[in-house]
Short mmCIF file of all heavy atoms in Angstrom, two decimals:
data_model
loop_
_atom_site.label_atom_id
_atom_site.label_comp_id
_atom_site.label_asym_id
_atom_site.label_seq_id
_atom_site.Cartn_x
_atom_site.Cartn_y
_atom_site.Cartn_z
N LYS A 9 -10.98 -13.49 5.45
CA LYS A 9 -10.76 -13.00 4.09
C LYS A 9 -11.95 -12.19 3.60
O LYS A 9 -11.79 -11.24 2.84
CB LYS A 9 -10.49 -14.16 3.13
CG LYS A 9 -9.09 -14.73 3.24
CD LYS A 9 -8.80 -15.67 2.09
CE LYS A 9 -8.58 -14.95 0.78
NZ LYS A 9 -7.34 -14.17 0.76
N TYR A 31 7.19 -2.34 13.30
CA TYR A 31 6.21 -1.41 12.73
C TYR A 31 5.08 -2.19 12.06
O TYR A 31 5.32 -3.09 11.27
CB TYR A 31 6.86 -0.51 11.68
CG TYR A 31 7.92 0.44 12.19
CD1 TYR A 31 8.29 0.48 13.52
CD2 TYR A 31 8.55 1.31 11.32
CE1 TYR A 31 9.26 1.35 13.98
CE2 TYR A 31 9.52 2.20 11.76
CZ TYR A 31 9.87 2.21 13.09
OH TYR A 31 10.83 3.08 13.54
N TYR A 33 0.89 -1.55 10.28
CA TYR A 33 0.01 -0.54 9.70
C TYR A 33 -1.32 -1.19 9.29
O TYR A 33 -1.36 -2.34 8.89
CB TYR A 33 0.64 0.07 8.44
CG TYR A 33 2.07 0.50 8.61
CD1 TYR A 33 3.11 -0.41 8.42
CD2 TYR A 33 2.40 1.80 8.95
CE1 TYR A 33 4.44 -0.03 8.57
CE2 TYR A 33 3.73 2.18 9.10
CZ TYR A 33 4.74 1.26 8.92
OH TYR A 33 6.05 1.64 9.08
N TYR A 35 -4.39 -0.28 6.52
CA TYR A 35 -4.86 0.55 5.41
C TYR A 35 -6.24 0.08 4.98
O TYR A 35 -6.60 -1.08 5.14
CB TYR A 35 -3.93 0.40 4.19
CG TYR A 35 -2.53 0.90 4.37
CD1 TYR A 35 -1.52 0.05 4.81
CD2 TYR A 35 -2.19 2.21 4.06
CE1 TYR A 35 -0.21 0.50 4.94
CE2 TYR A 35 -0.89 2.67 4.19
CZ TYR A 35 0.09 1.80 4.63
OH TYR A 35 1.38 2.25 4.76
N GLN A 37 -8.50 0.19 1.23
CA GLN A 37 -8.35 0.44 -0.19
C GLN A 37 -9.73 0.44 -0.82
O GLN A 37 -10.40 -0.58 -0.86
CB GLN A 37 -7.47 -0.62 -0.86
CG GLN A 37 -7.20 -0.34 -2.33
CD GLN A 37 -6.24 -1.35 -2.94
OE1 GLN A 37 -6.25 -2.53 -2.60
NE2 GLN A 37 -5.38 -0.89 -3.85
N GLY A 40 -10.20 2.71 -7.02
CA GLY A 40 -9.66 3.92 -7.62
C GLY A 40 -9.08 4.93 -6.64
O GLY A 40 -8.82 6.07 -7.02
N MET A 41 -8.90 4.52 -5.37
CA MET A 41 -8.46 5.50 -4.36
C MET A 41 -7.12 5.17 -3.74
O MET A 41 -6.70 5.83 -2.81
CB MET A 41 -9.52 5.61 -3.25
CG MET A 41 -10.87 6.09 -3.71
SD MET A 41 -10.80 7.78 -4.32
CE MET A 41 -10.59 8.68 -2.79
N GLY A 42 -6.44 4.16 -4.22
CA GLY A 42 -5.16 3.80 -3.60
C GLY A 42 -5.38 3.30 -2.18
O GLY A 42 -6.46 2.82 -1.84
N LEU A 43 -4.36 3.37 -1.34
CA LEU A 43 -4.45 2.92 0.05
C LEU A 43 -4.40 4.13 0.98
O LEU A 43 -3.57 5.02 0.78
CB LEU A 43 -3.30 1.98 0.40
CG LEU A 43 -3.39 0.56 -0.15
CD1 LEU A 43 -2.69 0.48 -1.49
CD2 LEU A 43 -2.78 -0.43 0.81
N LEU A 45 -4.06 5.24 5.07
CA LEU A 45 -3.61 4.74 6.36
C LEU A 45 -4.66 5.02 7.43
O LEU A 45 -5.09 6.16 7.60
CB LEU A 45 -2.28 5.42 6.73
CG LEU A 45 -1.61 4.96 8.02
CD1 LEU A 45 -1.20 3.50 7.93
CD2 LEU A 45 -0.40 5.85 8.32
N TYR A 48 -1.42 3.14 12.80
CA TYR A 48 -0.14 2.47 12.73
C TYR A 48 0.43 2.32 14.12
O TYR A 48 -0.04 2.95 15.08
CB TYR A 48 0.83 3.21 11.81
CG TYR A 48 1.30 4.56 12.30
CD1 TYR A 48 2.53 4.71 12.93
CD2 TYR A 48 0.50 5.70 12.13
CE1 TYR A 48 2.96 5.94 13.37
CE2 TYR A 48 0.93 6.93 12.57
CZ TYR A 48 2.15 7.06 13.19
OH TYR A 48 2.58 8.28 13.63
N VAL A 50 4.38 1.62 16.14
CA VAL A 50 5.84 1.49 16.02
C VAL A 50 6.38 0.48 17.01
O VAL A 50 7.60 0.27 17.07
CB VAL A 50 6.55 2.84 16.17
CG1 VAL A 50 6.10 3.79 15.06
CG2 VAL A 50 6.32 3.46 17.53
N LYS A 57 -2.83 7.51 15.18
CA LYS A 57 -3.79 7.64 14.10
C LYS A 57 -3.09 7.94 12.79
O LYS A 57 -2.07 8.61 12.74
CB LYS A 57 -4.77 8.78 14.42
CG LYS A 57 -5.63 8.53 15.63
CD LYS A 57 -6.53 9.73 15.93
CE LYS A 57 -7.38 9.48 17.17
NZ LYS A 57 -8.23 10.64 17.50
N GLU A 59 -4.43 8.65 8.49
CA GLU A 59 -5.19 9.64 7.74
C GLU A 59 -6.70 9.53 7.95
O GLU A 59 -7.41 10.53 7.97
CB GLU A 59 -4.87 9.45 6.26
CG GLU A 59 -5.39 10.51 5.32
CD GLU A 59 -5.03 10.20 3.88
OE1 GLU A 59 -4.27 9.23 3.63
OE2 GLU A 59 -5.52 10.92 2.98
N PHE A 90 -6.12 -3.81 4.42
CA PHE A 90 -4.80 -4.45 4.37
C PHE A 90 -4.01 -4.11 5.62
O PHE A 90 -3.96 -2.95 6.05
CB PHE A 90 -4.02 -3.99 3.15
CG PHE A 90 -4.54 -4.56 1.86
CD1 PHE A 90 -5.36 -3.80 1.04
CD2 PHE A 90 -4.21 -5.85 1.47
CE1 PHE A 90 -5.85 -4.32 -0.14
CE2 PHE A 90 -4.70 -6.38 0.28
CZ PHE A 90 -5.52 -5.60 -0.51
N GLY A 97 14.80 0.38 11.76
CA GLY A 97 16.23 0.48 11.55
C GLY A 97 16.63 0.71 10.12
O GLY A 97 17.71 1.16 9.84
N LEU A 98 15.75 0.38 9.16
CA LEU A 98 16.04 0.67 7.78
C LEU A 98 15.74 2.14 7.51
O LEU A 98 14.78 2.68 8.04
CB LEU A 98 15.20 -0.18 6.84
CG LEU A 98 15.40 -1.69 6.88
CD1 LEU A 98 14.45 -2.37 5.90
CD2 LEU A 98 16.84 -2.05 6.54
N ARG A 99 16.55 2.76 6.71
CA ARG A 99 16.29 4.16 6.42
C ARG A 99 15.05 4.33 5.56
O ARG A 99 14.31 5.29 5.69
CB ARG A 99 17.51 4.76 5.72
CG ARG A 99 17.38 6.26 5.58
CD ARG A 99 18.62 6.86 4.98
NE ARG A 99 18.43 8.28 4.71
CZ ARG A 99 19.24 9.01 3.99
NH1 ARG A 99 20.31 8.47 3.44
NH2 ARG A 99 19.00 10.28 3.78
N TYR A 100 14.84 3.37 4.65
CA TYR A 100 13.66 3.43 3.78
C TYR A 100 12.92 2.12 3.93
O TYR A 100 13.39 1.07 3.52
CB TYR A 100 14.10 3.66 2.34
CG TYR A 100 15.00 4.86 2.24
CD1 TYR A 100 16.36 4.71 2.05
CD2 TYR A 100 14.49 6.14 2.41
CE1 TYR A 100 17.19 5.80 2.01
CE2 TYR A 100 15.31 7.24 2.36
CZ TYR A 100 16.67 7.08 2.16
OH TYR A 100 17.48 8.16 2.12
N ASN A 101 11.74 2.20 4.56
CA ASN A 101 11.06 0.98 5.00
C ASN A 101 10.25 0.29 3.93
O ASN A 101 9.31 0.86 3.39
CB ASN A 101 10.13 1.31 6.16
CG ASN A 101 10.90 1.72 7.40
OD1 ASN A 101 12.07 1.41 7.54
ND2 ASN A 101 10.24 2.39 8.31
N GLU A 102 10.60 -0.94 3.62
CA GLU A 102 9.77 -1.77 2.78
C GLU A 102 8.64 -2.31 3.63
O GLU A 102 8.87 -2.81 4.73
CB GLU A 102 10.57 -2.94 2.20
CG GLU A 102 9.70 -3.96 1.49
CD GLU A 102 10.46 -5.16 1.00
OE1 GLU A 102 11.69 -5.20 1.17
OE2 GLU A 102 9.83 -6.07 0.44
N GLN A 103 7.43 -2.19 3.12
CA GLN A 103 6.29 -2.71 3.85
C GLN A 103 5.84 -4.03 3.23
O GLN A 103 5.75 -4.16 2.01
CB GLN A 103 5.15 -1.70 3.86
CG GLN A 103 5.51 -0.45 4.66
CD GLN A 103 4.34 0.46 4.95
OE1 GLN A 103 3.19 0.12 4.73
NE2 GLN A 103 4.63 1.64 5.49
N PHE A 105 2.82 -6.71 3.00
CA PHE A 105 1.38 -6.67 3.14
C PHE A 105 0.77 -8.06 3.30
O PHE A 105 1.27 -9.05 2.73
CB PHE A 105 0.74 -6.00 1.91
CG PHE A 105 0.91 -4.52 1.88
CD1 PHE A 105 2.08 -3.94 1.43
CD2 PHE A 105 -0.11 -3.69 2.33
CE1 PHE A 105 2.24 -2.56 1.41
CE2 PHE A 105 0.04 -2.31 2.31
CZ PHE A 105 1.22 -1.75 1.85
N GLY A 106 -0.34 -8.11 4.04
CA GLY A 106 -1.15 -9.32 4.10
C GLY A 106 -2.05 -9.40 2.88
O GLY A 106 -2.07 -8.48 2.05
N PRO A 107 -2.83 -10.48 2.78
CA PRO A 107 -3.69 -10.69 1.60
C PRO A 107 -4.97 -9.88 1.61
O PRO A 107 -5.68 -9.83 0.60
CB PRO A 107 -4.01 -12.18 1.65
CG PRO A 107 -3.93 -12.52 3.10
CD PRO A 107 -2.85 -11.64 3.68
N GLY A 108 -5.29 -9.24 2.73
CA GLY A 108 -6.47 -8.37 2.77
C GLY A 108 -7.71 -9.05 3.32
O GLY A 108 -7.85 -10.28 3.29
N GLN B 9 -4.65 6.51 -15.05
CA GLN B 9 -5.30 5.63 -14.07
C GLN B 9 -5.53 4.25 -14.65
O GLN B 9 -5.50 3.26 -13.91
CB GLN B 9 -6.63 6.23 -13.62
CG GLN B 9 -6.47 7.34 -12.60
CD GLN B 9 -7.79 7.66 -11.92
OE1 GLN B 9 -8.59 8.43 -12.46
NE2 GLN B 9 -8.04 7.07 -10.77
N SER B 30 11.43 11.79 0.88
CA SER B 30 12.76 11.26 1.18
C SER B 30 13.03 9.99 0.40
O SER B 30 14.18 9.64 0.15
CB SER B 30 12.89 11.01 2.69
OG SER B 30 11.89 10.11 3.13
N SER B 31 11.99 9.28 0.04
CA SER B 31 12.13 8.09 -0.80
C SER B 31 10.80 7.84 -1.49
O SER B 31 9.76 8.35 -1.06
CB SER B 31 12.52 6.86 0.02
OG SER B 31 11.45 6.44 0.83
N GLN B 33 8.60 4.56 -3.36
CA GLN B 33 8.54 3.13 -3.62
C GLN B 33 7.48 2.84 -4.67
O GLN B 33 6.50 3.56 -4.80
CB GLN B 33 8.17 2.38 -2.32
CG GLN B 33 9.18 2.61 -1.20
CD GLN B 33 8.77 1.94 0.09
OE1 GLN B 33 7.78 1.22 0.16
NE2 GLN B 33 9.56 2.16 1.14
N TYR B 35 4.99 -0.34 -5.91
CA TYR B 35 4.43 -1.64 -5.57
C TYR B 35 3.58 -2.14 -6.74
O TYR B 35 3.02 -1.36 -7.51
CB TYR B 35 3.52 -1.54 -4.34
CG TYR B 35 4.24 -1.29 -3.03
CD1 TYR B 35 4.66 -0.02 -2.67
CD2 TYR B 35 4.48 -2.34 -2.15
CE1 TYR B 35 5.32 0.20 -1.46
CE2 TYR B 35 5.12 -2.13 -0.94
CZ TYR B 35 5.53 -0.86 -0.61
OH TYR B 35 6.18 -0.64 0.59
N GLN B 37 0.30 -4.86 -7.39
CA GLN B 37 -0.74 -5.59 -6.69
C GLN B 37 -1.56 -6.39 -7.70
O GLN B 37 -2.05 -5.84 -8.69
CB GLN B 37 -1.65 -4.62 -5.92
CG GLN B 37 -2.72 -5.28 -5.08
CD GLN B 37 -3.57 -4.29 -4.35
OE1 GLN B 37 -3.58 -3.09 -4.65
NE2 GLN B 37 -4.32 -4.74 -3.35
N GLY B 40 -6.98 -9.66 -5.50
CA GLY B 40 -7.14 -10.54 -4.35
C GLY B 40 -5.90 -10.67 -3.48
O GLY B 40 -5.90 -11.48 -2.54
N GLU B 41 -4.87 -9.90 -3.76
CA GLU B 41 -3.64 -9.98 -2.98
C GLU B 41 -3.22 -8.60 -2.50
O GLU B 41 -3.72 -7.58 -2.97
CB GLU B 41 -2.53 -10.60 -3.82
CG GLU B 41 -2.83 -12.03 -4.26
CD GLU B 41 -1.69 -12.64 -5.05
OE1 GLU B 41 -0.61 -12.04 -5.11
OE2 GLU B 41 -1.90 -13.74 -5.61
N GLY B 42 -2.27 -8.59 -1.57
CA GLY B 42 -1.73 -7.32 -1.10
C GLY B 42 -0.62 -6.83 -2.02
O GLY B 42 -0.07 -7.60 -2.81
N PRO B 43 -0.29 -5.54 -1.94
CA PRO B 43 0.80 -5.00 -2.77
C PRO B 43 2.13 -5.66 -2.42
O PRO B 43 2.37 -6.03 -1.27
CB PRO B 43 0.81 -3.51 -2.40
CG PRO B 43 -0.54 -3.24 -1.82
CD PRO B 43 -0.95 -4.51 -1.15
N LEU B 45 6.35 -4.97 -2.97
CA LEU B 45 7.33 -3.95 -3.33
C LEU B 45 8.14 -4.38 -4.56
O LEU B 45 8.65 -5.50 -4.63
CB LEU B 45 8.29 -3.70 -2.17
CG LEU B 45 9.36 -2.64 -2.42
CD1 LEU B 45 8.73 -1.25 -2.44
CD2 LEU B 45 10.47 -2.71 -1.38
N THR B 48 12.65 0.66 -4.44
CA THR B 48 12.69 1.91 -3.69
C THR B 48 13.75 2.80 -4.33
O THR B 48 14.88 2.35 -4.57
CB THR B 48 13.06 1.68 -2.22
OG1 THR B 48 12.10 0.79 -1.63
CG2 THR B 48 13.07 2.99 -1.44
N VAL B 50 15.78 6.52 -3.87
CA VAL B 50 16.03 7.40 -2.74
C VAL B 50 16.82 8.66 -3.09
O VAL B 50 16.81 9.63 -2.34
CB VAL B 50 16.78 6.65 -1.62
CG1 VAL B 50 15.98 5.44 -1.18
CG2 VAL B 50 18.16 6.23 -2.06
N LEU B 86 -2.16 -3.85 -10.79
CA LEU B 86 -2.28 -2.47 -10.30
C LEU B 86 -0.91 -2.02 -9.81
O LEU B 86 -0.29 -2.69 -8.98
CB LEU B 86 -3.29 -2.41 -9.16
CG LEU B 86 -3.48 -1.05 -8.48
CD1 LEU B 86 -4.13 -0.06 -9.45
CD2 LEU B 86 -4.34 -1.19 -7.23
N LEU B 88 1.27 0.84 -7.91
CA LEU B 88 1.10 1.90 -6.91
C LEU B 88 2.44 2.54 -6.60
O LEU B 88 3.43 1.84 -6.38
CB LEU B 88 0.54 1.33 -5.62
CG LEU B 88 -0.86 0.72 -5.66
CD1 LEU B 88 -1.07 -0.25 -4.53
CD2 LEU B 88 -1.91 1.83 -5.59
N GLU B 92 7.57 8.34 1.06
CA GLU B 92 7.84 8.49 2.48
C GLU B 92 8.40 9.88 2.69
O GLU B 92 9.39 10.26 2.07
CB GLU B 92 8.84 7.44 2.96
CG GLU B 92 9.13 7.52 4.45
CD GLU B 92 10.05 6.41 4.94
OE1 GLU B 92 10.63 5.71 4.10
OE2 GLU B 92 10.20 6.27 6.16
N ASN B 97 10.75 8.75 11.91
CA ASN B 97 10.98 7.46 11.29
C ASN B 97 9.87 6.49 11.68
O ASN B 97 10.08 5.58 12.48
CB ASN B 97 12.35 6.92 11.70
CG ASN B 97 12.69 5.64 10.96
OD1 ASN B 97 12.14 5.37 9.90
ND2 ASN B 97 13.57 4.85 11.53
N THR B 98 8.69 6.71 11.12
CA THR B 98 7.58 5.79 11.39
C THR B 98 7.31 4.89 10.19
O THR B 98 6.48 4.01 10.27
CB THR B 98 6.30 6.58 11.69
OG1 THR B 98 5.97 7.39 10.55
CG2 THR B 98 6.48 7.48 12.90
N GLY B 99 7.97 5.17 9.07
CA GLY B 99 7.74 4.39 7.87
C GLY B 99 6.40 4.67 7.22
O GLY B 99 5.98 3.93 6.33
N LYS B 100 5.70 5.73 7.64
CA LYS B 100 4.40 6.02 7.05
C LYS B 100 4.55 6.38 5.58
O LYS B 100 5.43 7.16 5.20
CB LYS B 100 3.75 7.18 7.80
CG LYS B 100 3.25 6.82 9.19
CD LYS B 100 2.96 8.03 10.03
CE LYS B 100 1.93 8.93 9.43
NZ LYS B 100 1.66 10.09 10.30
N LEU B 101 3.69 5.80 4.76
CA LEU B 101 3.72 6.03 3.33
C LEU B 101 2.45 6.73 2.87
O LEU B 101 1.37 6.47 3.38
CB LEU B 101 3.86 4.71 2.58
CG LEU B 101 5.14 3.92 2.81
CD1 LEU B 101 5.06 2.58 2.07
CD2 LEU B 101 6.36 4.71 2.35
N ILE B 102 2.61 7.60 1.87
CA ILE B 102 1.49 8.20 1.16
C ILE B 102 1.40 7.48 -0.18
O ILE B 102 2.39 7.46 -0.92
CB ILE B 102 1.71 9.70 0.92
CG1 ILE B 102 1.96 10.43 2.24
CG2 ILE B 102 0.53 10.30 0.16
CD1 ILE B 102 0.77 10.45 3.16
N PHE B 103 0.23 6.91 -0.49
CA PHE B 103 0.07 6.16 -1.73
C PHE B 103 -0.63 6.99 -2.79
O PHE B 103 -1.55 7.77 -2.50
CB PHE B 103 -0.75 4.89 -1.48
CG PHE B 103 0.04 3.76 -0.90
CD1 PHE B 103 0.25 3.67 0.47
CD2 PHE B 103 0.59 2.78 -1.72
CE1 PHE B 103 0.98 2.63 1.01
CE2 PHE B 103 1.33 1.75 -1.19
CZ PHE B 103 1.53 1.67 0.18
N GLY B 104 -0.21 6.80 -4.04
CA GLY B 104 -0.98 7.31 -5.16
C GLY B 104 -2.21 6.44 -5.35
O GLY B 104 -2.36 5.39 -4.72
N GLN B 105 -3.10 6.87 -6.25
CA GLN B 105 -4.36 6.14 -6.42
C GLN B 105 -4.22 4.90 -7.29
O GLN B 105 -5.14 4.09 -7.39
CB GLN B 105 -5.45 7.07 -7.00
CG GLN B 105 -5.29 7.40 -8.47
CD GLN B 105 -4.45 8.64 -8.70
OE1 GLN B 105 -3.40 8.82 -8.10
NE2 GLN B 105 -4.91 9.50 -9.60
N GLY B 106 -3.04 4.72 -7.89
CA GLY B 106 -2.79 3.50 -8.64
C GLY B 106 -3.04 3.62 -10.13
O GLY B 106 -3.83 4.45 -10.59
#
Side-chain angles (χ1 to χ4, degrees):
Chain A
K9 283 192 73 69
Y31 295 1
Y33 312 86
Y35 295 92
Q37 185 176 35
M41 298 296 288
L43 285 92
L45 183 65
Y48 68 100
V50 299
K57 296 177 181 178
E59 189 181 354
F90 288 99
L98 297 179
R99 188 176 174 192
Y100 307 106
N101 292 340
E102 171 184 358
Q103 294 192 10
F105 285 82
Chain B
Q9 282 195 276
S30 58
S31 70
Q33 301 176 5
Y35 289 80
Q37 184 180 16
E41 298 182 9
L45 181 72
T48 302
V50 302
L86 177 67
L88 296 158
E92 182 176 11
N97 186 22
T98 60
K100 288 165 59 179
L101 296 175
I102 304 293
F103 280 85
Q105 74 270 46

